[in-house]
Amino acid sequence: MDRLKILFLFLAFSVGMCAQTEETDTFCVDTVEVLPWPQNIQYRLDSLSQLKMFETSMLGMVVYDLTADSILYKVNERQAMRPASTMKLVTAIAALDRLGGSYQFRTRLYYTGEVQDSTLYGDLYCVGGFDPAFDSDDMRAFVESIQRLGVDTIRGRIVADTSFKDADLLGEGWCWDDDNPKIAPLSLGRDIEFLKRLVECLYESDIVLDIRLSDGRVPDDAVILCCRTHTIDQILDRMMKMSDNFYAEAMFYQLGAAIGQRPAKAKDAAGVIKQLIQKVGNGKNPYRIADGSGLSLYNYVTPELEMRLLRYAFRNSSIYSHLLPSLPIAGRDGTLKTRMKNSFAEENVKAKTGTVTGVSALAGYCTAANGHQLCFSIINQGIMKSDTGRNFQDKVCNALCAP
């Protein structure tokens, strides 16, 4: 029996069916239970997809049954749309695929010259690897490594090596009036005045300085003093849970650097992502990858692409084991902490949110009531209020998780 016949019989024999209205946006879960899997889910999503909000906005959505290895539901799944911060999901999967789960973000301190009578006659080189998590503890470790040389005076230069990436501090297509992070490869948190912060810490540690600050590249004969690292999981956690744009751009540029480009450029990182897109079978479709965070208005993907990447990650344990713990959990943490409370989706849905002006999106995983593992991508475009998209996405997730 095909889907339309089942729906016809259901409507003909169901008495007391809850009305689907713009005001309530609800359906009777108990009544829909009479439909078998997956028609019950499809009916719920059909109902939600007919809401009045779609007279003035666009919906792109696809739900994939990972257990049955088949598409469960789709609408406009190949429509090119702006992903907003679900772009971070694309970046994360590409990074785990290319870099691996053991990858580390590094910031290094080197020196040249000689130490005589507690004085370093030479230069210090701070080499940035675009580690967004480098903090005051790491800076103190730099200073302590200098002190361990027996140095209380430095005469020479302190040099910033920022050759890891290009000099662009903002991404292509970022709006001028957004609160955009400056994407420098050498920073203390988000403060790109790295050398000034180091000088302050050296003064506070009673190290006498007769130096000048400059930019340059570390020479081959330099000796390493200190290397501070953060794992890819540490970066993923904040990037995904809190949707941190700075962390996402740091992850993005690791991809460009991974293919040996120095300085790495956005187009290099985009090229790595496009290689993955071809690998998952979507290489012929028109996509635009402008940044790693989703801030750019030039990004264009499709719900189908996000679904294929989620499916690819699910099938590769070396990716999935790192990706899944990083995703916000509905009703518990991250950007989903306050969403889907007291619903079947609470603590079930694990997904990345996305919001820019006119766009609201959600993509991730959940478990259906029959135990099937699902992945989904929902992009609402052309909406005036972000809450309109979020409310719709929450209802879709509840429909997927309800018995």
Side-chain angles (χ1 to χ4, degrees):
M1 188 178 297
D2 63 29
R3 179 176 165 190
L4 289 177
K5 289 181 180 178
I6 291 174
L7 291 179
F8 175 79
L9 290 174
F10 169 73
L11 292 172
F13 291 102
S14 295
V15 179
M17 171 86 173
C18 288
Q20 174 69 38
T21 68
E22 178 69 15
E23 289 75 22
T24 60
D25 292 355
T26 61
F27 53 84
C28 278
V29 170
D30 291 340
T31 307
V32 178
E33 279 183 346
V34 301
L35 287 171
W37 173 273
Q39 285 80 11
N40 58 343
I41 300 293
Q42 292 164 344
Y43 175 79
R44 294 167 185 167
L45 299 184
D46 273 338
S47 299
L48 290 171
S49 298
Q50 299 304 313
L51 294 176
K52 191 175 181 179
M53 63 182 282
F54 298 119
E55 293 178 4
T56 57
S57 66
M58 179 179 291
L59 169 65
M61 178 167 66
V62 61
V63 181
Y64 195 86
D65 188 333
L66 295 162
T67 303
D69 196 19
S70 62
I71 290 179
L72 184 60
Y73 191 85
K74 60 182 180 179
V75 54
N76 296 326
E77 77 280 5
R78 293 185 177 178
Q79 177 66 49
M81 307 177 85
R82 291 172 179 157
S85 279
T86 59
M87 186 65 207
K88 294 181 177 70
L89 194 64
V90 177
T91 302
I93 293 171
L96 287 167
D97 183 61
R98 184 67 185 227
L99 306 175
S102 62
Y103 185 81
Q104 293 185 326
F105 291 64
R106 294 180 171 86
T107 308
R108 297 179 176 92
L109 178 66
Y110 293 83
Y111 81 97
T112 58
E114 297 179 350
V115 177
Q116 297 178 3
D117 299 326
S118 301
T119 298
L120 172 62
Y121 295 93
D123 302 329
L124 294 175
Y125 290 85
C126 302
V127 183
F130 208 161
D131 180 359
F134 189 95
D135 60 15
S136 57
D137 288 340
D138 298 307
M139 186 64 85
R140 279 194 293 272
F142 268 23
V143 174
E144 289 169 0
S145 71
I146 296 169
Q147 291 174 320
R148 284 195 295 272
L149 280 176
V151 167
D152 59 22
T153 303
I154 300 174
R155 300 188 187 279
R157 298 181 302 157
I158 299 182
V159 182
D161 184 339
T162 58
S163 61
F164 181 87
K165 70 172 290 292
D166 59 22
D168 294 338
L169 294 179
L170 297 175
E172 182 186 17
W174 288 11
C175 291
W176 65 270
D177 56 348
D178 282 344
D179 184 17
N180 298 316
K182 293 182 179 179
I183 48 176
L186 190 59
S187 65
L188 177 59
R190 284 162 172 73
D191 186 350
I192 65 173
E193 299 293 335
F194 188 95
L195 295 190
K196 290 183 179 179
R197 301 290 82 80
L198 175 57
V199 168
E200 290 173 359
C201 289
L202 291 170
Y203 275 128
E204 291 171 1
S205 300
D206 297 324
I207 295 178
V208 177
L209 300 177
D210 180 13
I211 53 96
R212 61 186 178 90
L213 306 182
S214 65
D215 297 322
R217 291 204 178 193
V218 60
D220 293 337
D221 61 348
V223 179
I224 191 164
L225 274 173
C226 186
C227 178
R228 299 294 287 181
T229 65
H230 290 93
T231 67
I232 196 169
D233 286 330
Q234 289 175 300
I235 306 305
L236 278 173
D237 186 71
R238 184 171 180 86
M239 167 182 165
M240 304 297 276
K241 294 281 189 186
M242 306 310 297
S243 199
D244 192 302
N245 296 317
F246 184 55
Y247 277 53
E249 293 305 322
M251 188 76 74
F252 184 64
Y253 276 92
Q254 307 300 315
L255 292 173
I259 60 175
Q261 296 298 323
R262 290 292 192 281
K265 299 178 175 61
K267 68 177 183 179
D268 302 322
V272 176
I273 292 177
K274 288 176 182 177
Q275 289 176 5
L276 177 59
I277 290 173
Q278 291 179 341
K279 186 190 296 188
V280 301
N282 276 53
K284 295 183 179 180
N285 292 352
Y287 302 108
R288 179 74 189 276
I289 309 298
D291 68 11
S293 62
L295 278 174
S296 177
L297 298 180
Y298 299 161
N299 288 311
Y300 277 96
V301 302
T302 67
E304 180 187 51
L305 173 61
E306 292 191 336
M307 175 274 290
R308 285 178 180 250
L309 289 170
L310 286 163
R311 183 181 65 181
Y312 176 78
F314 180 80
R315 291 173 173 176
N316 290 269
S317 60
S318 60
I319 298 175
Y320 191 68
S321 61
H322 296 274
L323 177 68
L324 189 67
S326 75
L327 293 173
I329 302 173
R332 182 190 294 179
D333 64 18
T335 54
L336 287 180
K337 185 175 183 178
T338 61
R339 291 176 59 177
M340 306 180 213
K341 290 279 192 180
N342 303 313
S343 74
F344 291 105
E346 183 176 6
E347 298 195 1
N348 184 334
V349 168
K350 300 173 179 65
K352 183 69 199 74
T353 56
T355 306
V356 295
T357 301
V359 179
S360 179
L362 186 70
Y365 302 97
C366 67
T367 304
N370 66 349
H372 282 217
Q373 299 294 309
L374 311 178
C375 69
F376 61 87
S377 172
I378 310 165
I379 302 178
N380 295 103
Q381 189 160 288
I383 55 174
M384 300 300 292
K385 296 181 179 179
S386 298
D387 283 346
T388 303
R390 294 188 188 112
N391 290 336
F392 171 77
Q393 295 149 20
D394 291 357
K395 290 177 175 62
V396 168
C397 289
N398 189 48
L400 295 177
C401 299

